[in-house]
């Protein structure tokens, strides 16, 4: 019994403290706001205005040669001449590799002798035909034989030409994979040839920006290792959108006269896809909702919560496409404490 007396006293003491606090708080609240209306709150505001906004799109791109090929021989043979200066620029038509062709040249000389003899036979046959000493059929046989020899000569010349591997365009030779005297086949990779001035840059943009991009638009990009930005111009757009990524492939041309940029490098592309004039407000004025967004505007000195639809953003502002007009004053501070129809007192209004 003696044990319960102290416990009872403690419980009664705590109950008294709680009751006193409730009465004290309530009395002060009534004394501080006898009208029952929301209290006036001091906040800052911003006058919505029209401003030009640019949507800067950042995309990942890859630098590529304007032209590039793997160089293979057309026929099999032994290399008798090798003219590949690795990493150096070569002109279009430069002889890079020469294969053994002595047997083909011997056949060509033989056919040329036959051609000369057959031309003499044709000439004599023509005189005999004019004198009615041979038939037209005999003359036709001699001309047919000559034409066959001429065709064989053209064939051998074509085969000899295939033993020469030449650069099809001006570009930079890569590292060679063969040596002088090696026997190679059409499957042998001799080297690579790339045209690196100009370069191409490929990048992808989301499909929603497809209507905002056109041939001739300029792009800026940065490459790791360089403390400067580079520029290019869009010259081709893939006609269809990639169904897997829902993105559009863009290709731009980049001038590279000093060969500073290398094919295959990663590029961070910046592209201005939209530039419009719209009503803008500071981003901190937007109140996210479960469905949609709101702002608090001042009407006749009272707080009004307004539904809005936003669009483009930049570093500090957001476009409002619906819900506001230029000249409306929106609240930018104290948004957590503002209630509908609450009296507002602005300490600062930015215009």
């Amino acid at each position: 019994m003696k044990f319960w007396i102290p416990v009872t006293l403690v419980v009664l003491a705590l109950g008294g403290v709680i009751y006193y606090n409730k009465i004290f708080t309530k009395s002060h609240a009534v004394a501080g706001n006898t009208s029952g209306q929301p209290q006036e709150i001091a906040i800052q505001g911003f006058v919505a205005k029209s401003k030009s906004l640019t949507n800067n799109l950042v995309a990942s791109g890859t630098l590529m040669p304007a032209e590039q090929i793997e160089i293979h021989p057309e026929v099999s043979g032994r290399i008798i001449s090798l003219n590949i200066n690795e990493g150096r620029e070569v002109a279009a038509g430069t002889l890079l590799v020469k294969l053994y062709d002595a047997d083909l040249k011997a056949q060509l000389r033989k056919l040329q002798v036959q051609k000369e003899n057959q031309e003499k036979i044709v000439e004599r046959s023509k005189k005999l035909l004019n004198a009615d000493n041979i038939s037209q059929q005999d003359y036709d046989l001699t001309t047919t034989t000559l034409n066959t020899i001429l065709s064989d000569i053209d064939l051998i010349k074509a085969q000899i030409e295939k033993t020469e591997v030449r650069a099809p365009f001006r570009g930079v030779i890569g590292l060679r994979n063969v040596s002088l005297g090696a026997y190679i086949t059409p499957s042998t990779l001799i080297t690579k040839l790339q045209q690196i001035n100009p370069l191409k840059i490929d990048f992808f943009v989301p499909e929603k920006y497809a209507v905002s991009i056109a041939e001739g638009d300029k792009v800026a990009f940065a490459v790791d290792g360089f403390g400067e930005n580079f520029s290019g111009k869009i010259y081709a757009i893939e006609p269809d959108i990639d169904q897997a990524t829902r993105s559009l492939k863009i290709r731009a041309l980049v001038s590279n006269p000093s060969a500073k940029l290398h094919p295959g490098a990663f590029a961070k592309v910046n592209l201005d896809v939209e530039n419009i004039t719209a009503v803008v407000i500071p981003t901190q004025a937007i109140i996210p909702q479960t469905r949609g967004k709101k702002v608090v505007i001042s009407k006749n000195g009272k707080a009004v919560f307004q539904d809005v639809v936003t669009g483009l953003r930049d570093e500090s502002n957001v476009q409002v496409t619906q819900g506001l007009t230029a000249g409306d004053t929106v609240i930018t501070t104290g948004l957590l404490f503002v209630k509908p129809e609450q009296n507002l007192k602005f300490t600062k209004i930015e215009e």
Side-chain angles (χ1 to χ4, degrees), residues 32-45:
N33 185 16
T34 56
S35 63
Q37 298 295 324
Q39 292 179 296
E40 187 178 79
I41 184 171
I43 40 78
Q44 295 182 7

Side-chain angles (χ1 to χ4, degrees), residues 19-35:
Y19 179 78
Y20 176 81
N21 285 337
K22 286 184 177 180
I23 297 299
F24 181 82
T25 302
K26 184 176 180 180
S27 63
H28 275 70
V30 172
N33 185 16
T34 56
S35 63

Side-chain angles (χ1 to χ4, degrees), residues 89-117:
E89 189 175 53
V90 296
T94 300
L95 179 62
L96 303 176
V97 175
K98 176 63 179 175
L99 302 180
Y100 178 79
D101 64 351
D103 53 341
L104 295 174
K105 287 182 178 179
Q107 294 181 44
L108 179 61
R109 288 193 297 270
K110 178 181 177 181
L111 290 171
Q112 286 173 339
V113 171
Q114 293 177 359
K115 167 180 164 285
E116 292 174 0
N117 291 333

Side-chain angles (χ1 to χ4, degrees), residues 51 92 215:
K51 181 182 177 182
E215 293 182 16

Side-chain angles (χ1 to χ4, degrees), residues 54-228:
T54 298
N55 190 12
N56 183 260
L57 178 66
V58 178
S60 298
T62 303
L63 291 173
M64 301 188 307
E67 303 290 346
Q68 62 176 336
I69 60 167
E70 291 184 345
I71 296 181
H72 296 260
E74 290 189 66
V75 295
S76 299
R78 177 169 52 86
I79 298 175
I80 60 173
S81 177
L82 194 58
N83 182 33
I84 296 178
N85 294 319
E86 298 168 298
R88 299 295 180 87
E89 189 175 53
V90 296
T94 300
L95 179 62
L96 303 176
V97 175
K98 176 63 179 175
L99 302 180
Y100 178 79
D101 64 351
D103 53 341
L104 295 174
K105 287 182 178 179
Q107 294 181 44
L108 179 61
R109 288 193 297 270
K110 178 181 177 181
L111 290 171
Q112 286 173 339
V113 171
Q114 293 177 359
K115 167 180 164 285
E116 292 174 0
N117 291 333
Q118 192 62 31
E119 285 175 342
K120 292 176 182 179
I121 293 173
V122 170
E123 186 178 352
R124 287 195 299 267
S125 297
K126 186 175 183 180
K127 291 178 181 180
L128 293 172
L129 178 64
N130 292 335
D132 292 329
N133 290 326
I134 62 171
S135 65
Q136 181 67 43
Q137 182 179 4
D138 292 335
Y139 175 75
D140 290 343
L141 287 173
T142 59
T143 56
T144 300
T145 302
L146 176 61
N147 290 333
T148 301
I149 294 173
L150 292 174
S151 297
D152 290 340
I153 289 175
D154 290 339
L155 177 61
I156 293 298
K157 286 182 177 180
Q159 291 176 343
I160 292 174
E161 187 176 344
K162 288 182 178 180
T163 64
E164 298 177 350
V165 181
R166 297 181 180 272
F169 53 81
R170 186 181 187 88
V172 176
I173 286 289
L175 304 180
R176 63 181 173 89
N177 300 307
V178 296
S179 299
L180 184 66
Y183 184 86
I184 59 177
T185 67
S187 64
T188 303
L189 173 61
I190 298 174
T191 186
K192 294 181 180 180
L193 179 65
Q194 298 181 337
Q195 187 181 87
I196 61 173
N197 183 34
L199 288 174
K200 296 184 291 190
I201 181 170
D202 282 3
F203 59 96
F204 292 85
V205 299
E207 62 177 328
K208 67 179 181 179
Y209 296 116
V211 296
S212 304
I213 298 174
E215 293 182 16
D217 289 350
K218 291 186 177 181
V219 298
F221 65 94
V223 177
D224 289 343
F226 293 94
E228 59 181 304

